[in-house]
Amino acid sequence: MPPHAFLCGTTAAHLWQIPLPARLPAMIEVGVLRPRTAPVRPGLRGRQFTSSFVLVTDRRGIRVTDPASTWASLGGTLREEELIVAADHVLHIPRHPGGFGPVTESALADRERLERFAERRGRPGAPALRRALEYARTGAASPPETQIRLLIRDAGLPEPVLDHDVYDARGRFLGCSELAYPELRVAIEYESDGHLLRHQLERDIDKYQAYAEAGWLTVRLTSEHVYRSPHEAVRRIREACRRSRRVSDPSISAV
């Protein structure tokens, strides 16, 4: 790669670990700033950028667009929902559940930075980028968590709290849930294959027992529910909210 070129688009997204849909073809994307000519060769997509559209940085010795301009450069490639998933990753603020330890990591970029790149005049996919930012949040740590939140949104249910620490009446930390309705004491958990490992399974058993004893209802979802049976995922969440409301006020029969 010549010194003036840089990795961009989906290739840069891979380097920043920004989630991408599996439907995209495998291709290396290399960018240059105008008026230079974009490279052309098999298996490579050359792209020209106006200097205000991207910021080039160094990642492990490789010239690459920074996280914010990388996300914005996907506006003409990803669907709106996919852009929300990607934005959630860039905006995610790591933290230690319960606040028991220091966090040295930070978000890849803040919302203001994403907005600046999304609003560049002539940006491909700019309307989709702006709409995606409206629904992007800082508390989602994985694509399935974002997908669950979007399912909840599309079902007309209130937006849940993300990355919520749960405590009992004595103030004892019980665990952290990906999504929750604290006022209803409803926790929504996404369980990947990692939850099948013995040590994690034992931790989950203790955690959900503690939740139940503290009066919390837990909705446990897998990829099957989220991606193949989304209506069932929504039904379970809605039913948990209804049950919680009935417990707190028996006169309430529906959400």
Side-chain angles (χ1 to χ4, degrees):
M1 191 165 67
H4 62 267
F6 47 87
L7 297 180
C8 61
T10 56
T11 306
H14 280 298
L15 288 177
W16 294 113
Q17 297 183 317
I18 297 174
L20 296 173
R23 64 178 179 82
L24 296 181
M27 183 177 296
I28 296 176
E29 295 193 57
V30 175
V32 296
L33 297 180
R34 290 186 172 87
R36 292 187 180 275
T37 302
V40 178
R41 63 184 66 164
L44 183 147
R45 180 190 180 195
R47 300 179 63 177
Q48 280 184 313
F49 291 94
T50 302
S51 59
S52 63
F53 275 31
V54 294
L55 178 65
V56 179
T57 186
D58 180 277
R59 180 165 174 78
R60 299 172 184 170
I62 301 173
R63 282 172 53 82
V64 59
T65 52
D66 81 323
S69 56
T70 295
W71 174 78
S73 73
L74 300 171
T77 303
L78 301 188
R79 299 164 185 158
E80 186 174 318
E81 195 169 276
E82 296 164 347
L83 287 170
I84 298 173
V85 171
D88 274 8
H89 176 82
V90 174
L91 293 173
H92 177 60
I93 300 175
R95 73 178 192 91
H96 195 293
F100 296 115
V103 176
T104 57
E105 298 177 83
S106 60
L108 291 176
D110 59 26
R111 186 178 297 272
E112 182 182 359
R113 193 168 185 78
L114 265 60
E115 287 174 347
R116 286 205 303 269
F117 279 110
E119 291 170 359
R120 293 286 189 265
R121 196 168 191 177
R123 165 80 71 185
L129 288 168
R130 290 193 290 268
R131 288 193 299 270
L133 271 180
E134 291 180 23
Y135 296 105
R137 302 290 182 264
T138 61
S142 70
E145 293 174 36
T146 300
Q147 188 63 39
I148 293 170
R149 189 179 84 248
L150 297 180
L151 289 176
I152 291 171
R153 176 200 67 178
D154 295 343
L157 293 170
E159 183 167 332
V161 175
L162 303 181
D163 195 24
H164 180 72
D165 289 339
V166 177
Y167 298 86
D168 65 12
R170 295 177 296 170
R172 182 170 62 101
F173 176 72
L174 304 181
C176 180
S177 289
E178 289 94 351
L179 306 96
Y181 291 108
E183 70 284 359
L184 296 176
R185 294 188 180 183
V186 171
I188 304 166
E189 299 276 351
Y190 177 77
E191 302 193 354
S192 62
D193 291 346
H195 287 261
L196 298 176
L197 299 175
R198 184 174 183 82
H199 73 279
Q200 184 61 52
L201 180 61
E202 291 174 347
R203 288 177 58 188
D204 288 345
I205 289 172
D206 291 341
K207 172 181 173 179
Y208 298 136
Q209 180 66 28
Y211 274 26
E213 292 177 2
W216 280 71
L217 294 175
T218 305
V219 180
R220 302 170 69 181
L221 304 173
T222 67
S223 60
E224 179 68 28
H225 306 119
V226 177
Y227 294 104
R228 298 179 187 84
S229 304
H231 293 297
E232 175 60 16
V234 170
R235 186 198 68 78
R236 294 184 183 192
I237 295 168
R238 193 187 298 274
E239 180 59 25
C241 291
R242 283 176 175 163
R243 287 174 58 196
S244 176
R245 288 185 182 277
R246 289 193 195 105
V247 170
S248 60
D249 186 349
S251 66
I252 297 176
S253 59
V255 174

